[in-house]
Amino acid sequence: QVQLVESGGGLVQAGGSLRLSCAASGRTFSRYAMGWFRQVPGKEREFVAATTWSGLNTYNAYYADSVKGRYTISRDNVKNTGYLQMNKLKPEDTAVYYCAAGVRPGRRGMERDDYDYWGQGTQVTVSP
């Protein structure tokens, strides 16, 4: 079992930055894929970014087109924590952001079904 707790959400003006954190506990984190998704009311939860283990200490990163070049996903396996650095934020980035963890060898972690564990979510609001 893995428990995930997100933090770092809040209110920011357009063009600003936020860094979300996802603290994991319960299992060794290093070989888990870690993903970030977001959801607005009335819409499905959508993929934002993922980092997947590809052997030894190597990880791949994947991004949704809408955030590519503005968001950066990273992880600190010693601290069992993942991060999502969000720059140049836009009002359309407003959503509840969720982190997720799972093990699906060969998958890129871009689908909700790639994950077994989810955090409770943190609100990100970007004002115009």
Side-chain angles (χ1 to χ4, degrees), residues 51-93:
T51 173
T52 60
W53 183 68
S54 59
L56 297 177
N57 290 321
T58 303
Y59 293 86
N60 296 319
Y62 303 96
Y63 298 93
D65 288 342
S66 59
V67 307
K68 206 171 288 184
R70 300 187 297 122
Y71 288 16
T72 303
I73 190 170
S74 62
R75 61 197 296 161
D76 184 334
N77 292 328
V78 174
K79 295 182 178 179
N80 269 13
T81 301
Y83 303 96
L84 184 68
Q85 177 67 42
M86 306 185 295
N87 298 328
K88 300 179 181 178
L89 283 161
K90 304 175 181 179
E92 51 263 43
D93 295 319

Short mmCIF file of all heavy atoms in Angstrom, two decimals, residues 51-93:
data_model
loop_
_atom_site.label_atom_id
_atom_site.label_comp_id
_atom_site.label_asym_id
_atom_site.label_seq_id
_atom_site.Cartn_x
_atom_site.Cartn_y
_atom_site.Cartn_z
N THR A 51 6.57 10.51 -14.63
CA THR A 51 7.95 10.06 -14.65
C THR A 51 7.96 8.57 -14.36
O THR A 51 7.35 8.12 -13.39
CB THR A 51 8.82 10.85 -13.65
OG1 THR A 51 10.12 10.26 -13.59
CG2 THR A 51 8.23 10.87 -12.26
N THR A 52 8.61 7.81 -15.22
CA THR A 52 8.60 6.35 -15.10
C THR A 52 10.03 5.82 -15.01
O THR A 52 10.95 6.36 -15.63
CB THR A 52 7.91 5.71 -16.30
OG1 THR A 52 8.61 6.07 -17.49
CG2 THR A 52 6.48 6.16 -16.42
N TRP A 53 10.18 4.76 -14.25
CA TRP A 53 11.48 4.14 -14.05
C TRP A 53 11.83 3.33 -15.29
O TRP A 53 11.04 2.53 -15.76
CB TRP A 53 11.43 3.25 -12.82
CG TRP A 53 12.72 2.62 -12.46
CD1 TRP A 53 13.85 3.25 -12.00
CD2 TRP A 53 13.03 1.23 -12.49
NE1 TRP A 53 14.83 2.33 -11.75
CE2 TRP A 53 14.36 1.08 -12.04
CE3 TRP A 53 12.32 0.08 -12.86
CZ2 TRP A 53 14.98 -0.16 -11.94
CZ3 TRP A 53 12.94 -1.14 -12.76
CH2 TRP A 53 14.25 -1.26 -12.31
N SER A 54 13.08 3.54 -15.80
CA SER A 54 13.48 2.78 -16.99
C SER A 54 14.75 1.99 -16.73
O SER A 54 15.43 1.58 -17.67
CB SER A 54 13.69 3.74 -18.18
OG SER A 54 14.66 4.71 -17.88
N GLY A 55 15.08 1.76 -15.47
CA GLY A 55 16.24 0.94 -15.14
C GLY A 55 17.31 1.71 -14.41
O GLY A 55 17.52 2.90 -14.69
N LEU A 56 17.97 1.05 -13.49
CA LEU A 56 19.02 1.65 -12.66
C LEU A 56 18.48 2.96 -12.07
O LEU A 56 17.48 2.99 -11.42
CB LEU A 56 20.29 1.86 -13.48
CG LEU A 56 20.94 0.58 -14.01
CD1 LEU A 56 22.14 0.88 -14.87
CD2 LEU A 56 21.32 -0.32 -12.85
N ASN A 57 19.16 4.07 -12.32
CA ASN A 57 18.70 5.36 -11.81
C ASN A 57 18.17 6.26 -12.91
O ASN A 57 18.22 7.49 -12.81
CB ASN A 57 19.86 6.07 -11.09
CG ASN A 57 20.22 5.38 -9.79
OD1 ASN A 57 19.33 4.93 -9.07
ND2 ASN A 57 21.50 5.28 -9.50
N THR A 58 17.64 5.66 -13.94
CA THR A 58 17.17 6.42 -15.10
C THR A 58 15.66 6.50 -15.10
O THR A 58 14.97 5.50 -14.88
CB THR A 58 17.64 5.75 -16.40
OG1 THR A 58 19.06 5.65 -16.37
CG2 THR A 58 17.23 6.58 -17.60
N TYR A 59 15.15 7.68 -15.38
CA TYR A 59 13.71 7.90 -15.44
C TYR A 59 13.36 8.66 -16.72
O TYR A 59 14.12 9.51 -17.17
CB TYR A 59 13.23 8.70 -14.23
CG TYR A 59 13.37 7.93 -12.94
CD1 TYR A 59 14.57 7.94 -12.22
CD2 TYR A 59 12.31 7.18 -12.44
CE1 TYR A 59 14.71 7.21 -11.06
CE2 TYR A 59 12.44 6.46 -11.27
CZ TYR A 59 13.64 6.49 -10.58
OH TYR A 59 13.77 5.76 -9.43
N ASN A 60 12.21 8.30 -17.27
CA ASN A 60 11.69 9.03 -18.41
C ASN A 60 10.63 10.01 -17.93
O ASN A 60 9.96 9.78 -16.92
CB ASN A 60 11.07 8.07 -19.42
CG ASN A 60 12.11 7.14 -20.02
OD1 ASN A 60 13.21 7.55 -20.33
ND2 ASN A 60 11.73 5.88 -20.19
N ALA A 61 10.46 11.10 -18.68
CA ALA A 61 9.42 12.08 -18.35
C ALA A 61 8.52 12.29 -19.55
O ALA A 61 8.99 12.33 -20.69
CB ALA A 61 10.05 13.41 -17.93
N TYR A 62 7.24 12.41 -19.27
CA TYR A 62 6.24 12.62 -20.32
C TYR A 62 5.33 13.77 -19.89
O TYR A 62 5.03 13.92 -18.70
CB TYR A 62 5.42 11.35 -20.53
CG TYR A 62 6.25 10.15 -20.88
CD1 TYR A 62 6.66 9.25 -19.90
CD2 TYR A 62 6.65 9.91 -22.20
CE1 TYR A 62 7.44 8.16 -20.21
CE2 TYR A 62 7.43 8.82 -22.52
CZ TYR A 62 7.83 7.95 -21.52
OH TYR A 62 8.61 6.86 -21.84
N TYR A 63 4.87 14.54 -20.88
CA TYR A 63 4.05 15.70 -20.59
C TYR A 63 2.87 15.79 -21.55
O TYR A 63 2.99 15.41 -22.72
CB TYR A 63 4.87 16.98 -20.72
CG TYR A 63 6.02 17.08 -19.74
CD1 TYR A 63 7.29 16.65 -20.08
CD2 TYR A 63 5.81 17.60 -18.47
CE1 TYR A 63 8.35 16.73 -19.19
CE2 TYR A 63 6.86 17.70 -17.56
CZ TYR A 63 8.12 17.25 -17.93
OH TYR A 63 9.15 17.33 -17.02
N ALA A 64 1.79 16.32 -21.07
CA ALA A 64 0.70 16.69 -21.95
C ALA A 64 1.14 17.88 -22.81
O ALA A 64 1.93 18.72 -22.34
CB ALA A 64 -0.53 17.08 -21.13
N ASP A 65 0.63 17.95 -24.02
CA ASP A 65 1.03 19.04 -24.92
C ASP A 65 0.73 20.41 -24.31
O ASP A 65 1.46 21.37 -24.52
CB ASP A 65 0.30 18.90 -26.26
CG ASP A 65 0.84 17.74 -27.08
OD1 ASP A 65 1.96 17.26 -26.79
OD2 ASP A 65 0.13 17.30 -28.01
N SER A 66 -0.34 20.48 -23.53
CA SER A 66 -0.78 21.75 -22.99
C SER A 66 0.18 22.32 -21.95
O SER A 66 0.12 23.52 -21.64
CB SER A 66 -2.17 21.61 -22.37
OG SER A 66 -2.16 20.64 -21.35
N VAL A 67 1.04 21.49 -21.38
CA VAL A 67 1.96 21.97 -20.34
C VAL A 67 3.42 21.84 -20.73
O VAL A 67 4.30 22.32 -20.00
CB VAL A 67 1.72 21.22 -19.01
CG1 VAL A 67 0.26 21.31 -18.60
CG2 VAL A 67 2.19 19.78 -19.07
N LYS A 68 3.67 21.24 -21.87
CA LYS A 68 5.06 21.02 -22.30
C LYS A 68 5.77 22.36 -22.42
O LYS A 68 5.27 23.32 -23.00
CB LYS A 68 5.05 20.28 -23.64
CG LYS A 68 6.27 19.46 -23.92
CD LYS A 68 6.06 18.60 -25.15
CE LYS A 68 5.09 17.48 -24.91
NZ LYS A 68 4.95 16.59 -26.08
N GLY A 69 6.98 22.42 -21.86
CA GLY A 69 7.76 23.65 -21.88
C GLY A 69 7.48 24.59 -20.72
O GLY A 69 8.23 25.54 -20.49
N ARG A 70 6.40 24.32 -19.97
CA ARG A 70 6.06 25.17 -18.82
C ARG A 70 6.15 24.39 -17.51
O ARG A 70 6.49 24.98 -16.47
CB ARG A 70 4.64 25.72 -18.97
CG ARG A 70 4.43 26.58 -20.20
CD ARG A 70 3.06 27.23 -20.18
NE ARG A 70 1.97 26.27 -20.21
CZ ARG A 70 1.02 26.19 -19.28
NH1 ARG A 70 1.01 27.01 -18.25
NH2 ARG A 70 0.05 25.28 -19.38
N TYR A 71 5.86 23.11 -17.53
CA TYR A 71 5.88 22.28 -16.34
C TYR A 71 7.08 21.35 -16.39
O TYR A 71 7.50 20.90 -17.46
CB TYR A 71 4.62 21.41 -16.26
CG TYR A 71 3.33 22.11 -15.92
CD1 TYR A 71 3.19 23.49 -16.02
CD2 TYR A 71 2.23 21.37 -15.52
CE1 TYR A 71 2.00 24.10 -15.71
CE2 TYR A 71 1.02 21.96 -15.22
CZ TYR A 71 0.90 23.34 -15.32
OH TYR A 71 -0.29 23.95 -15.03
N THR A 72 7.59 21.03 -15.20
CA THR A 72 8.68 20.06 -15.08
C THR A 72 8.37 19.10 -13.94
O THR A 72 8.10 19.54 -12.81
CB THR A 72 10.01 20.76 -14.79
OG1 THR A 72 10.29 21.70 -15.84
CG2 THR A 72 11.14 19.74 -14.74
N ILE A 73 8.41 17.82 -14.25
CA ILE A 73 8.19 16.80 -13.23
C ILE A 73 9.54 16.29 -12.75
O ILE A 73 10.49 16.16 -13.54
CB ILE A 73 7.32 15.65 -13.77
CG1 ILE A 73 6.90 14.71 -12.64
CG2 ILE A 73 8.04 14.89 -14.89
CD1 ILE A 73 5.85 13.68 -13.06
N SER A 74 9.66 16.05 -11.47
CA SER A 74 10.91 15.53 -10.91
C SER A 74 10.58 14.69 -9.68
O SER A 74 9.44 14.66 -9.22
CB SER A 74 11.87 16.67 -10.56
OG SER A 74 11.30 17.51 -9.56
N ARG A 75 11.60 14.04 -9.15
CA ARG A 75 11.39 13.20 -7.98
C ARG A 75 12.66 13.13 -7.17
O ARG A 75 13.76 13.23 -7.72
CB ARG A 75 10.92 11.82 -8.39
CG ARG A 75 11.90 11.06 -9.27
CD ARG A 75 11.23 9.90 -9.98
NE ARG A 75 10.75 8.90 -9.03
CZ ARG A 75 9.82 7.99 -9.32
NH1 ARG A 75 9.26 7.97 -10.53
NH2 ARG A 75 9.45 7.10 -8.42
N ASP A 76 12.52 12.93 -5.89
CA ASP A 76 13.63 12.71 -4.97
C ASP A 76 13.34 11.40 -4.26
O ASP A 76 12.53 11.36 -3.33
CB ASP A 76 13.73 13.87 -3.99
CG ASP A 76 14.93 13.74 -3.07
OD1 ASP A 76 15.39 12.61 -2.82
OD2 ASP A 76 15.42 14.78 -2.58
N ASN A 77 13.99 10.33 -4.70
CA ASN A 77 13.68 9.00 -4.16
C ASN A 77 14.18 8.83 -2.72
O ASN A 77 13.67 7.98 -2.00
CB ASN A 77 14.27 7.91 -5.05
CG ASN A 77 13.59 7.85 -6.39
OD1 ASN A 77 12.40 8.13 -6.53
ND2 ASN A 77 14.34 7.48 -7.41
N VAL A 78 15.15 9.62 -2.32
CA VAL A 78 15.60 9.56 -0.94
C VAL A 78 14.51 10.10 -0.02
O VAL A 78 14.24 9.55 1.04
CB VAL A 78 16.90 10.36 -0.76
CG1 VAL A 78 17.29 10.42 0.71
CG2 VAL A 78 18.03 9.72 -1.58
N LYS A 79 13.86 11.15 -0.45
CA LYS A 79 12.79 11.74 0.34
C LYS A 79 11.43 11.12 0.04
O LYS A 79 10.43 11.50 0.63
CB LYS A 79 12.72 13.25 0.07
CG LYS A 79 13.95 14.01 0.53
CD LYS A 79 13.78 15.51 0.28
CE LYS A 79 14.99 16.28 0.78
NZ LYS A 79 14.87 17.73 0.52
N ASN A 80 11.38 10.20 -0.93
CA ASN A 80 10.09 9.61 -1.34
C ASN A 80 9.09 10.68 -1.72
O ASN A 80 7.91 10.62 -1.35
CB ASN A 80 9.51 8.73 -0.23
CG ASN A 80 9.95 7.29 -0.35
OD1 ASN A 80 10.85 6.96 -1.10
ND2 ASN A 80 9.31 6.42 0.41
N THR A 81 9.55 11.64 -2.48
CA THR A 81 8.71 12.78 -2.83
C THR A 81 8.83 13.10 -4.32
O THR A 81 9.94 13.08 -4.86
CB THR A 81 9.09 14.02 -2.01
OG1 THR A 81 8.94 13.71 -0.62
CG2 THR A 81 8.21 15.20 -2.35
N GLY A 82 7.71 13.39 -4.93
CA GLY A 82 7.69 13.85 -6.30
C GLY A 82 7.29 15.31 -6.35
O GLY A 82 6.67 15.84 -5.41
N TYR A 83 7.65 15.96 -7.45
CA TYR A 83 7.39 17.39 -7.57
C TYR A 83 6.83 17.71 -8.96
O TYR A 83 7.12 17.02 -9.94
CB TYR A 83 8.68 18.19 -7.37
CG TYR A 83 9.36 17.92 -6.06
CD1 TYR A 83 10.40 17.00 -5.97
CD2 TYR A 83 8.95 18.57 -4.90
CE1 TYR A 83 11.03 16.75 -4.76
CE2 TYR A 83 9.57 18.32 -3.68
CZ TYR A 83 10.60 17.41 -3.62
OH TYR A 83 11.20 17.15 -2.42
N LEU A 84 6.08 18.77 -9.01
CA LEU A 84 5.64 19.32 -10.29
C LEU A 84 5.87 20.82 -10.23
O LEU A 84 5.17 21.54 -9.51
CB LEU A 84 4.17 19.00 -10.55
CG LEU A 84 3.65 19.45 -11.92
CD1 LEU A 84 4.31 18.61 -13.03
CD2 LEU A 84 2.13 19.33 -12.02
N GLN A 85 6.88 21.28 -10.95
CA GLN A 85 7.16 22.70 -11.04
C GLN A 85 6.33 23.27 -12.18
O GLN A 85 6.44 22.81 -13.33
CB GLN A 85 8.65 22.94 -11.30
CG GLN A 85 9.03 24.40 -11.48
CD GLN A 85 8.85 25.20 -10.21
OE1 GLN A 85 9.19 24.75 -9.11
NE2 GLN A 85 8.31 26.40 -10.33
N MET A 86 5.53 24.26 -11.86
CA MET A 86 4.61 24.84 -12.85
C MET A 86 4.97 26.30 -13.04
O MET A 86 4.87 27.09 -12.10
CB MET A 86 3.16 24.70 -12.38
CG MET A 86 2.76 23.28 -12.03
SD MET A 86 1.03 23.10 -11.60
CE MET A 86 0.96 24.05 -10.11
N ASN A 87 5.40 26.64 -14.24
CA ASN A 87 5.77 28.02 -14.58
C ASN A 87 4.85 28.56 -15.64
O ASN A 87 4.15 27.83 -16.33
CB ASN A 87 7.21 28.05 -15.09
CG ASN A 87 8.22 27.58 -14.05
OD1 ASN A 87 8.03 27.77 -12.85
ND2 ASN A 87 9.30 26.96 -14.52
N LYS A 88 4.88 29.88 -15.78
CA LYS A 88 4.06 30.55 -16.80
C LYS A 88 2.61 30.07 -16.74
O LYS A 88 2.01 29.72 -17.77
CB LYS A 88 4.65 30.32 -18.19
CG LYS A 88 6.06 30.83 -18.34
CD LYS A 88 6.61 30.54 -19.74
CE LYS A 88 8.05 31.03 -19.88
NZ LYS A 88 8.62 30.72 -21.22
N LEU A 89 2.07 30.06 -15.57
CA LEU A 89 0.73 29.53 -15.37
C LEU A 89 -0.32 30.38 -16.08
O LEU A 89 -0.18 31.61 -16.19
CB LEU A 89 0.41 29.44 -13.88
CG LEU A 89 1.06 28.24 -13.19
CD1 LEU A 89 1.12 28.43 -11.68
CD2 LEU A 89 0.32 26.96 -13.53
N LYS A 90 -1.36 29.71 -16.54
CA LYS A 90 -2.45 30.34 -17.26
C LYS A 90 -3.76 30.07 -16.52
O LYS A 90 -3.87 29.07 -15.80
CB LYS A 90 -2.56 29.75 -18.67
CG LYS A 90 -1.28 29.82 -19.48
CD LYS A 90 -1.45 29.09 -20.80
CE LYS A 90 -0.17 29.11 -21.64
NZ LYS A 90 -0.34 28.37 -22.92
N PRO A 91 -4.75 30.91 -16.70
CA PRO A 91 -6.04 30.65 -16.04
C PRO A 91 -6.61 29.27 -16.36
O PRO A 91 -7.24 28.65 -15.49
CB PRO A 91 -6.94 31.77 -16.59
CG PRO A 91 -5.99 32.89 -16.88
CD PRO A 91 -4.74 32.22 -17.37
N GLU A 92 -6.36 28.78 -17.55
CA GLU A 92 -6.86 27.46 -17.92
C GLU A 92 -6.13 26.32 -17.21
O GLU A 92 -6.52 25.16 -17.34
CB GLU A 92 -6.81 27.26 -19.44
CG GLU A 92 -5.48 27.55 -20.07
CD GLU A 92 -5.40 28.95 -20.65
OE1 GLU A 92 -5.87 29.92 -19.99
OE2 GLU A 92 -4.86 29.09 -21.77
N ASP A 93 -5.09 26.61 -16.49
CA ASP A 93 -4.42 25.60 -15.66
C ASP A 93 -5.15 25.40 -14.33
O ASP A 93 -4.79 24.50 -13.56
CB ASP A 93 -2.97 26.00 -15.37
CG ASP A 93 -2.12 26.04 -16.62
OD1 ASP A 93 -2.27 25.15 -17.48
OD2 ASP A 93 -1.29 26.96 -16.75
#
